[in-house]
Amino acid sequence: MADTKDEAGPENLASAVAELVEIQLQIEKTARSIVDSTRRLVDSREHLAPANLKDFPGYDYRFYDMTGKELADQGLRVLGDFADPSVLEGPVERRSFYRFALSEDGTTTASWFVVPRRRDSRAVWLRLWSKLWSILLPSTKKEPLRVLVLHSWCEDGRSFVTTRGSLEGHLMRPESVVVQNLDQYHSAARTLDAHRAAVAAGSGVPRRLRTIEEIFGARVAESEMTAEFRKAKGLDLFEPKLRGMLGDEYDERGAPLVEAILAHPEWWTGSQKASPPSPPFPGEREAMPASPTSPGEQEASPSSSSGAQGDSPVRLMFLSSREGGRGHLTTLGLLFEGLPEMQMKQLAANHWLAARFLMATVAKRLRDRARVDSGEAFGSKLRTGLTLTLSREDVSPRESTVVSGRYQEASAGAAAPAVVRLILEAFDETGNDPDNELVHVVPPLEYRADKDTWLRDVCRSLGQNAPDPLPLESLDAEMQAASDKARTTLGAVREQFQRGLPAGQTLAIKIGLTTTAGGREFVWIKVKDWQDGIVIGTLETVPNKRPGFLQDQVMRVPESDVFDRAIGTPEGMIDPALTDIVAQEFGVDL
């Protein structure tokens, strides 16, 4: 009788177990790489500056020029070329830049770019995963992506994005960002028609932007909102992402990856800080640069950690409107904390900064209180009117409305309790939708003076020197008065500069340039030297209405032409420009 062996003997069983362990390790390795790349995408920050085409040799300039001509035929004006300076540190073949244009009415922004020929990052990890199943994928070499993005930001906080020729990244976005993707065969004119049709269908009322700085500001605000949304979603991002990428193959390939990701939440939260992500070139953000992020803050989203926040502020943006000279501010950011957004109505023309300061302080207090009360109990208190007594301990020194190192403001007066009343109100007049409610910040019931006086006094009690209420017609006079006050300090500032500023601090001056239309446009100059009544420096902000000036151009300015001055560091202002404070008070910066 022939000798037989058990095919499931110890040796074969050990081999099978080893193979399963290796497969699981490969799954976890791939899953970790997906989490890491997604986290880099969410955390990445972009700094756009004027681009020198000499730094981008061999690129498809014909695409840039032809697209610009097509858009010009549709009434869009080319604004210039821009890139993140950090891309110059990488290889030439990975570099790319944006070209921007703006419609005549300022409601539609266009940007277009070429994503250099490279391996498809989706296919890279798909090939790795496919090795587990002995599936071969075709070559991943692709032609460069030639992408056109049209963007309109609306008064109600929504934004409409139309892309042509991009890859869909399948990463969740806020509902307020409405995206349509068109194939690469659409002409610029057809893409523009489709974009405007989408805006009209959504009953959007686009904001009218005027300058590249306003465009960058809108992009930054949307990007920060999108980043906070994605941080709040956390691990919930990955199943829809992989379902979108894999389609019918999700159950076989994607489900094990999602299972591994959910088993390792520390990959997303990160117990150890990862090395700073390299800023993406155009297109690495899902091949659609519709959401660049602002420079600076790298702080984790409050909702990404269950630990104490300390003095960390709630990251807020503000939507603004003005009617009859009075202001209306609404927050955007509390929803990521599971709280309703906040509003203040009928603000004095110069109380925008005070209102932002107070709303940010209330938001921080609400976030902390909501963690103590149950959601139902907290909502019940808001509906009946919740009274809060705030103190200076409730103010975050890192709040954006607080000047670094200058809180409390010396002229704010003595500390005192600050009482506010919060009322939950329906967003619309019907009051039938409990999911669309806003917290209205108002004086307490027993307060008898006018609302403007209450806001001023509350902010001063909290350490901010809120001004007396003024009408909108006072803006020019207040701006000139701030400039005059700043100019009285020039002698002391000059001496301070000549003695040498502390390491990391920079002095800048603001001057007004006469535009071609006879108006005045203000620009900033970084000071390099100051001798014999002449300030020498490099141009930091390029004027839009005065041709012939370049970024970093050397400027020689008579001291008598200085409109304002500021001293700051990369982290923030040390001695802010007084005219900028006036602009913030009147809401000109929003």
Side-chain angles (χ1 to χ4, degrees):
M1 187 173 181
D3 188 20
T4 61
K5 291 186 178 180
D6 185 358
E7 293 296 323
E11 294 179 357
N12 289 330
L13 181 60
S15 176
V17 170
E19 289 179 7
L20 290 174
V21 170
E22 179 62 24
I23 288 175
Q24 184 60 36
L25 289 174
Q26 290 291 340
I27 290 174
E28 293 195 357
K29 182 178 179 181
T30 304
R32 179 65 185 268
S33 70
I34 295 171
V35 173
D36 289 346
S37 64
T38 303
R39 187 74 207 204
R40 284 196 300 270
L41 180 73
V42 171
D43 289 344
S44 60
R45 298 294 181 262
E46 180 182 67
H47 307 248
L48 290 183
N52 186 341
L53 297 190
K54 294 180 180 179
D55 295 323
F56 302 87
Y59 275 77
D60 191 354
Y61 298 127
R62 183 171 177 270
F63 164 75
Y64 284 91
D65 295 336
M66 287 184 62
T67 303
K69 184 179 184 304
E70 287 184 79
L71 292 171
D73 292 340
Q74 300 299 315
L76 275 73
R77 170 174 56 93
V78 174
L79 301 178
D81 301 325
F82 298 84
D84 192 317
S86 64
V87 303
L88 303 182
E89 300 171 6
V92 171
E93 63 270 18
R94 288 290 308 276
R95 299 176 187 176
S96 191
F97 64 94
Y98 304 85
R99 186 166 290 173
F100 282 86
L102 183 65
S103 63
E104 290 181 353
D105 61 1
T107 61
T108 304
T109 297
S111 61
W112 58 105
F113 56 92
V114 176
V115 181
R117 182 195 297 259
R118 61 196 294 261
R119 298 187 72 188
D120 187 341
S121 59
R122 286 188 309 172
V124 169
W125 73 261
L126 283 176
R127 287 173 65 86
L128 175 61
W129 177 231
S130 297
K131 287 179 181 179
L132 302 177
W133 307 96
S134 301
I135 299 174
L136 296 178
L137 293 183
S139 171
T140 60
K141 279 194 172 181
K142 293 187 178 242
E143 286 294 315
L145 290 174
R146 297 174 177 87
V147 182
L148 170 64
V149 180
L150 301 178
H151 216 136
S152 293
W153 291 275
C154 294
E155 297 288 354
D156 60 4
R158 290 180 299 161
S159 59
F160 289 81
V161 184
T162 300
T163 71
R164 182 194 72 184
S166 70
L167 287 176
E168 172 56 51
H170 303 287
L171 198 57
M172 296 168 65
R173 300 185 183 90
E175 291 183 358
S176 59
V177 181
V178 183
V179 179
Q180 65 171 335
N181 298 304
L182 305 179
D183 63 49
Q184 61 183 329
Y185 302 108
H186 279 67
S187 66
R190 286 180 60 200
T191 304
L192 187 60
D193 289 341
H195 177 74
R196 288 172 171 165
V199 175
S203 301
V205 180
R207 295 164 49 195
R208 297 179 182 272
L209 306 181
R210 297 165 297 175
T211 66
I212 192 68
E213 286 79 11
E214 290 182 353
I215 292 171
F216 287 173
R219 287 162 59 97
V220 163
E222 179 185 306
S223 175
E224 289 289 348
M225 178 187 67
T226 301
E228 292 302 321
F229 169 84
R230 288 170 171 171
K231 289 178 182 178
K233 287 293 183 182
L235 300 182
D236 291 338
L237 291 172
F238 294 98
E239 181 175 341
K241 175 184 175 73
L242 292 175
R243 283 189 181 277
M245 295 175 69
L246 295 173
D248 294 339
E249 296 179 318
Y250 170 79
D251 288 339
E252 180 181 18
R253 299 184 185 177
L257 294 171
V258 171
E259 185 178 351
I261 290 170
L262 295 178
H264 293 279
E266 72 277 9
W267 292 349
W268 177 258
T269 58
S271 57
Q272 295 182 350
K273 199 151 187 170
S275 57
S278 57
F281 59 84
E284 194 164 340
R285 259 188 198 83
E286 307 163 52
M288 185 193 77
S291 57
T293 49
S294 66
E297 295 184 343
Q298 298 289 333
E299 184 178 76
S301 167
S303 55
S304 67
S305 172
S306 59
Q309 296 277 327
D311 284 332
S312 174
V314 179
R315 299 183 66 175
L316 298 174
M317 291 179 289
F318 292 89
L319 308 177
S320 64
S321 62
R322 199 188 303 266
E323 184 175 353
R326 307 286 291 186
H328 186 164
L329 281 178
T330 305
T331 66
L332 183 58
L334 280 167
L335 65 91
F336 302 123
E337 301 289 342
L339 295 168
E341 298 296 346
M342 192 183 311
Q343 65 177 341
M344 291 191 72
K345 305 176 183 178
Q346 289 295 307
L347 299 168
N350 65 330
H351 275 178
W352 295 62
L353 182 61
R356 288 154 69 181
F357 170 79
L358 179 59
M359 293 167 82
T361 303
V362 172
K364 176 176 175 290
R365 178 69 174 272
L366 283 182
R367 178 197 64 195
D368 297 341
R369 180 160 183 165
R371 290 174 176 169
V372 177
D373 293 340
S374 68
E376 183 176 344
F378 187 67
S380 176
K381 291 177 182 178
L382 281 176
R383 284 185 174 82
T384 58
L386 176 63
T387 299
L388 293 181
T389 300
L390 305 172
S391 69
R392 294 187 177 184
E393 285 70 30
D394 292 308
V395 178
S396 171
R398 290 186 284 161
E399 167 55 42
S400 61
T401 57
V402 174
V403 177
S404 177
R406 299 285 289 275
Y407 180 80
Q408 292 93 17
E409 296 179 11
S411 53
V419 182
V420 302
R421 187 165 181 258
L422 309 179
I423 304 173
L424 200 60
E425 296 179 345
F427 183 76
D428 58 19
E429 295 180 355
T430 66
N432 295 328
D433 188 356
D435 293 328
N436 289 324
E437 294 177 316
L438 299 174
V439 174
H440 189 190
V441 183
V442 297
L445 288 173
E446 64 274 14
Y447 191 81
R448 293 292 178 263
D450 63 274
K451 184 178 178 180
D452 294 341
T453 302
W454 167 78
L455 178 57
R456 179 201 66 188
D457 292 346
V458 161
C459 289
R460 290 182 180 179
S461 297
L462 294 175
Q464 187 210 47
N465 186 30
D468 293 331
L470 291 173
L472 185 59
E473 293 75 18
S474 302
L475 172 59
D476 290 342
E478 289 295 302
M479 194 71 77
Q480 188 59 54
S483 173
D484 293 342
K485 183 177 180 180
R487 286 176 49 76
T488 64
T489 68
L490 289 182
V493 172
R494 180 182 61 247
E495 293 179 4
Q496 183 181 359
F497 174 78
Q498 291 173 343
R499 288 195 305 268
L501 295 175
Q505 293 188 14
T506 300
L507 170 64
I509 60 169
K510 180 192 287 188
I511 66 169
L513 299 176
T514 303
T515 66
T516 53
R520 187 163 57 164
E521 183 174 359
F522 291 100
V523 297
W524 283 100
I525 297 170
K526 183 187 294 184
V527 178
K528 302 295 185 182
D529 196 12
W530 194 339
Q531 299 291 338
D532 302 323
I534 301 296
V535 184
I536 301 173
T538 54
L539 188 63
E540 291 296 298
T541 53
V542 179
N544 296 291
K545 300 178 181 178
R546 177 68 184 272
F549 289 90
L550 301 174
Q551 183 82 26
D552 296 325
Q553 175 179 330
V554 176
M555 304 283 287
R556 298 175 60 87
V557 180
E559 188 175 312
S560 58
D561 288 349
V562 175
F563 189 74
D564 205 345
R565 81 295 170 274
I567 297 176
T569 70
E571 288 73 36
M573 286 291 105
I574 300 297
D575 189 359
L578 302 183
T579 56
D580 281 4
I581 294 177
V582 172
Q584 293 172 355
E585 289 175 346
F586 280 84
V588 179
D589 62 316
L590 288 178

Coordinates of all heavy atoms in Angstrom, one line a residue, residues 18 41 60 121 140 152 163 195 209 225 239 248 272 300 350 530 539 582 587:
A18 N 1.6 31.4 7.2 CA 2.6 32.4 6.9 C 2.1 33.2 5.7 O 2.3 34.4 5.7 CB 3.9 31.7 6.6
L41 N -3.2 65.0 1.8 CA -4.1 65.8 1.0 C -4.9 66.8 1.8 O -5.0 68.0 1.5 CB -5.0 64.9 0.2 CG -6.0 65.5 -0.7 CD1 -5.3 66.1 -2.0 CD2 -7.1 64.6 -1.1
D60 N 3.6 72.5 -21.8 CA 2.6 72.7 -22.9 C 2.1 74.1 -22.9 O 0.9 74.3 -22.5 CB 1.5 71.7 -22.7 CG 0.6 71.6 -24.0 OD1 0.8 72.4 -24.9 OD2 -0.3 70.7 -24.0
S121 N -1.4 57.7 -9.4 CA -1.2 57.3 -8.0 C -2.3 56.2 -7.6 O -2.1 55.4 -6.8 CB -1.3 58.5 -7.1 OG -2.6 59.1 -7.2
T140 N 0.5 51.9 -16.6 CA -0.1 53.1 -16.0 C 0.4 54.4 -16.6 O 0.1 55.4 -16.0 CB 0.2 53.1 -14.5 OG1 1.6 53.1 -14.2 CG2 -0.4 51.8 -13.8
S152 N -17.3 79.6 -9.1 CA -18.1 80.8 -8.7 C -18.4 80.6 -7.2 O -18.9 79.6 -6.8 CB -19.4 80.9 -9.5 OG -19.2 81.2 -10.8
T163 N -15.2 71.3 -13.6 CA -13.8 70.9 -14.1 C -13.9 70.2 -15.4 O -14.9 69.5 -15.7 CB -13.1 70.0 -13.1 OG1 -13.8 68.7 -13.1 CG2 -13.2 70.5 -11.7
H195 N -21.0 75.6 -16.8 CA -20.8 76.1 -15.5 C -21.9 77.1 -15.1 O -22.5 77.0 -14.0 CB -19.4 76.7 -15.4 CG -19.2 77.4 -14.1 ND1 -18.9 76.7 -12.9 CD2 -19.1 78.7 -13.7 CE1 -18.7 77.5 -11.9 NE2 -18.9 78.7 -12.4
L209 N -15.9 89.2 -7.6 CA -14.6 89.4 -7.2 C -13.8 90.4 -8.2 O -14.2 90.5 -9.3 CB -13.8 88.1 -7.2 CG -14.5 87.0 -6.3 CD1 -13.7 85.7 -6.3 CD2 -14.7 87.5 -4.9
M225 N -12.6 75.3 4.9 CA -13.9 74.7 5.2 C -13.9 73.2 4.8 O -14.3 72.3 5.5 CB -15.0 75.4 4.5 CG -16.4 74.8 4.7 SD -17.7 75.5 3.7 CE -17.2 75.0 2.1
E239 N -14.5 54.5 3.1 CA -15.4 53.6 2.4 C -15.9 54.2 1.1 O -15.8 53.6 0.0 CB -16.5 53.1 3.2 CG -17.4 52.1 2.5 CD -18.4 51.4 3.4 OE1 -18.3 51.4 4.6 OE2 -19.4 50.9 2.8
D248 N -17.4 48.0 -8.9 CA -17.9 46.6 -8.7 C -16.8 45.7 -7.9 O -17.2 44.7 -7.4 CB -18.3 45.9 -10.0 CG -19.5 46.6 -10.6 OD1 -20.2 47.2 -9.9 OD2 -19.7 46.4 -11.8
Q272 N 2.0 60.3 16.8 CA 3.2 61.1 16.6 C 3.0 61.9 15.4 O 2.4 61.5 14.4 CB 4.4 60.1 16.4 CG 4.7 59.3 17.6 CD 6.0 58.4 17.4 OE1 6.4 58.3 16.2 NE2 6.5 57.8 18.4
A300 N -4.5 70.6 14.3 CA -5.5 69.6 14.0 C -6.9 70.1 14.3 O -7.1 71.0 15.1 CB -5.2 68.4 14.9
N350 N -19.0 99.8 12.0 CA -17.6 99.5 12.4 C -17.5 98.5 13.6 O -16.5 98.5 14.3 CB -17.0 100.9 12.8 CG -17.6 101.5 14.1 OD1 -18.8 101.3 14.3 ND2 -16.8 102.2 14.9
W530 N 16.6 102.0 5.5 CA 15.9 103.3 5.8 C 16.9 104.3 6.2 O 17.3 104.4 7.3 CB 14.8 103.0 6.9 CG 13.8 104.1 7.1 CD1 13.9 105.4 6.7 CD2 12.5 103.9 7.7 NE1 12.7 106.1 7.0 CE2 11.9 105.2 7.7 CE3 11.9 102.9 8.4 CZ2 10.6 105.4 8.2 CZ3 10.7 103.1 8.9 CH2 10.0 104.4 8.8
L539 N 8.8 95.0 -3.2 CA 7.4 95.0 -3.3 C 6.8 93.6 -2.9 O 7.1 92.6 -3.5 CB 7.0 95.3 -4.8 CG 5.5 95.6 -5.0 CD1 5.0 96.8 -4.2 CD2 5.3 95.8 -6.5
V582 N -8.8 99.3 11.1 CA -10.0 100.0 10.7 C -10.8 99.2 9.6 O -12.0 99.1 9.7 CB -9.7 101.4 10.2 CG1 -10.9 102.1 9.6 CG2 -9.1 102.3 11.3
G587 N -15.4 95.8 8.3 CA -15.7 94.6 7.5 C -15.2 94.7 6.1 O -15.7 93.9 5.3

